[in-house]
Amino acid sequence: MKRKLLSAILCVSMVATMLVGCGSKAETATTDTAATEAPAAADTTEAATEAAAEATTAGGKIGVAMPTQSSERWINDGANMKEQLEKLGYEVDLQYAEDDVQAQVSQIENMIANGANCLVIASIDSSALVNVEQQAKDAGIPIIAYDRLLMDTDAVSYYATFDNKGVGTAIGKYIETAKDLAAAKEAGESYTIEFFMGSPDDNNAKMLYDGLMEVLQPYLDDGTLVCKSGRTSFEDTCILRWSQETAQQNCENYLTGFYADEDLDICATAFDGFAYGCKAALEGAGYTTDNWPLITGQDAELMATKNIIAGTQTMSIYKDTRLLAEKCVTMVQAVMEGAEPEINDTEQYNNGKITVPSYLCTPVAVDKDNYKEIIVDGGYYTEEQLAE
Ligand code: BGC
């Protein structure tokens, strides 16, 4: 009885936490509903390309707007972009906005004011940049969306990213194989699972969730996977701004509220930062190697890869940021020189205004069995870095 009451209290506090987690983007997002008499997207892209091509002859300035330095991947992304663009002779203005939406708007405004010829944007809130994107478009400055789709705008020319739904499917398939869910189903066995999904203002997060659930939903439906918190929808499991702290808090709440009598077997997380949060919560709750759950992640950060080797994270999704930067740079070059970049998807990425021509890089699942081949042999991290 007491336990039930405690659970109920924890559930209520968890719902409050979740609300904090998913938040409302109205708090930070700049709103933009201004109707504009914009020319058709194709015309704009053409005009922007011509303007950018003229600028190239006089040297070119590229503004690169990145979301945050709090996670390693974006530091690598920014560094790779800068290095590759500078090699081609462009001047680069690289800015990080530390997950502050207004700061990112100001940074992009400054880039425009300072004469950028092309903008590369990895957004914080993908719908919050509509005004400033319009400003760029009016000034004939082409925009490339980097990793995260820019929503509700026709000012974006191209999009370089990873197959975001494919990331979710890869995580789902990893869980399915590692736990042999098909056999468990046959045998009438079950595993407990909790979900930690990405930021609701990032289009990638919902796509990842869709890919993940394409694989796992049937097992939730037939009881092979049991989510004791009952929180399986995207709305219930998303975490605003990909906050590691919120993931840890959510995991702590789940463990106390629902896993006092039974172990949590799987933390299905969408980000290495969430995996770190879960790890801390599990350690705090007394989990050991004897009952450590399967923990997924995304980005194959250095620390995540070390944790994979140590056994405190099971897998991650390796996204070669060098390759993404390379693809993005070809898009920059194309708009600056009036050429056509390589595109491999013209259907999936509709941003509410236009379908943005995209290049999707392939994500790869890594774990202790293949990290050497993929990550070390691929030159992403050295053995020395991993041993430090
Ligand atoms: C990226 C992920 C990253 C996440 C948190 C997403 O938009 O696609 O690779 O883990 O943001 O930074």
Side-chain angles (χ1 to χ4, degrees):
M1 192 56 177
K2 260 194 195 152
R3 168 161 288 155
K4 268 196 188 147
L5 181 62
L6 180 64
S7 296
I9 293 167
L10 283 164
C11 282
V12 171
S13 81
M14 192 157 30
V15 169
T17 307
M18 287 299 170
L19 291 176
V20 172
C22 291
S24 141
K25 59 181 172 181
E27 303 157 23
T28 41
T30 49
T31 47
D32 187 327
T33 48
T36 50
E37 282 173 48
D43 297 350
T44 324
T45 307
E46 227 168 77
T49 305
E50 274 167 28
E54 272 169 35
T56 321
T57 47
K61 201 187 246 186
I62 318 294
V64 179
M66 288 280 155
T68 175
Q69 295 182 89
S70 68
S71 134
E72 188 190 297
R73 80 147 286 188
W74 300 112
I75 299 175
N76 293 337
D77 284 290
N80 291 330
M81 282 299 295
K82 190 165 159 45
E83 187 189 324
Q84 294 188 26
L85 285 168
E86 282 177 347
K87 245 187 218 154
L88 291 170
Y90 296 112
E91 190 185 326
V92 178
D93 180 5
L94 169 64
Q95 299 289 336
Y96 285 89
E98 304 318 331
D99 276 338
D100 178 337
V101 178
Q102 265 316 316
Q104 187 163 57
V105 170
S106 307
Q107 287 175 345
I108 298 170
E109 278 170 355
N110 285 338
M111 289 170 183
I112 296 171
N114 292 336
N117 303 114
C118 175
L119 297 173
V120 173
I121 304 176
S123 60
I124 296 162
D125 177 334
S126 33
S127 302
L129 302 175
V130 178
N131 269 339
V132 75
E133 286 155 350
Q134 183 63 41
Q135 278 175 42
K137 177 172 151 180
D138 293 344
I141 304 168
I143 300 177
I144 316 285
Y146 187 92
D147 193 79
R148 298 175 171 170
L149 186 58
L150 294 164
M151 304 303 285
D152 309 318
T153 178
D154 60 9
V156 53
S157 304
Y158 296 106
Y159 179 36
T161 189
F162 284 84
D163 176 358
N164 290 294
K165 192 170 174 212
V167 172
T169 318
I171 295 175
K173 285 196 171 140
Y174 189 93
I175 294 172
E176 184 182 40
T177 309
K179 290 290 185 195
D180 200 346
L181 296 182
K185 181 183 166 185
E186 279 296 303
E189 287 164 1
S190 66
Y191 292 102
T192 54
I193 185 165
E194 294 296 338
F195 296 90
F196 304 83
M197 294 294 109
S199 191
D201 55 9
D202 180 348
N203 186 59
N204 293 354
K206 181 67 172 49
M207 293 192 81
L208 185 156
Y209 172 86
D210 289 344
L212 178 72
M213 283 307 182
E214 209 170 86
V215 183
L216 298 187
Q217 190 63 53
Y219 296 108
L220 286 162
D221 291 343
D222 67 25
T224 309
L225 289 176
V226 178
C227 177
K228 294 183 84 175
S229 72
R231 305 188 79 90
T232 56
S233 69
F234 179 71
E235 290 67 29
D236 281 346
T237 55
C238 63
I239 295 176
L240 187 67
R241 302 281 134 76
W242 301 86
S243 156
Q244 174 175 332
E245 292 69 32
T246 307
Q248 178 171 344
Q249 208 173 27
N250 289 357
C251 190
E252 282 165 2
N253 291 343
Y254 291 145
L255 293 173
T256 348
F258 302 100
Y259 295 91
D261 301 328
E262 196 179 346
D263 288 341
L264 172 58
D265 299 320
I266 304 165
C267 293
T269 100
F271 170 43
D272 285 343
F274 296 167
Y276 310 150
C278 288
K279 173 177 178 279
L282 290 156
E283 280 164 354
Y287 278 70
T288 65
T289 41
D290 292 341
N291 59 350
W292 197 259
L294 186 166
I295 305 179
T296 68
Q298 172 178 210
D299 291 343
E301 290 190 346
L302 182 61
M303 196 201 289
T305 313
K306 286 180 180 179
N307 289 347
I308 288 174
I309 297 166
T312 50
Q313 182 171 330
T314 316
M315 62 85 70
S316 187
I317 297 292
Y318 169 62
K319 296 166 107 175
D320 188 342
T321 52
R322 297 166 302 184
L323 178 67
L324 182 62
E326 197 181 297
K327 295 299 172 190
C328 185
V329 166
T330 65
M331 290 174 175
V332 172
Q333 265 186 301
V335 292
M336 294 290 281
E337 292 165 9
E340 289 289 318
E342 190 185 355
I343 291 304
N344 64 9
D345 186 280
T346 49
E347 280 166 21
Q348 275 193 78
Y349 290 93
N350 187 294
N351 72 356
K353 279 271 165 80
I354 53 169
T355 300
V356 185
S358 307
Y359 189 93
L360 313 186
C361 304
T362 309
V364 181
V366 286
D367 67 2
K368 63 175 178 1
D369 295 331
N370 69 353
Y371 82 90
K372 270 198 183 137
E373 181 194 335
I374 309 280
I375 291 184
V376 180
D377 296 351
Y380 205 63
Y381 304 131
T382 60
E383 288 281 16
E384 290 69 37
Q385 279 175 297
L386 292 169
E388 270 166 22

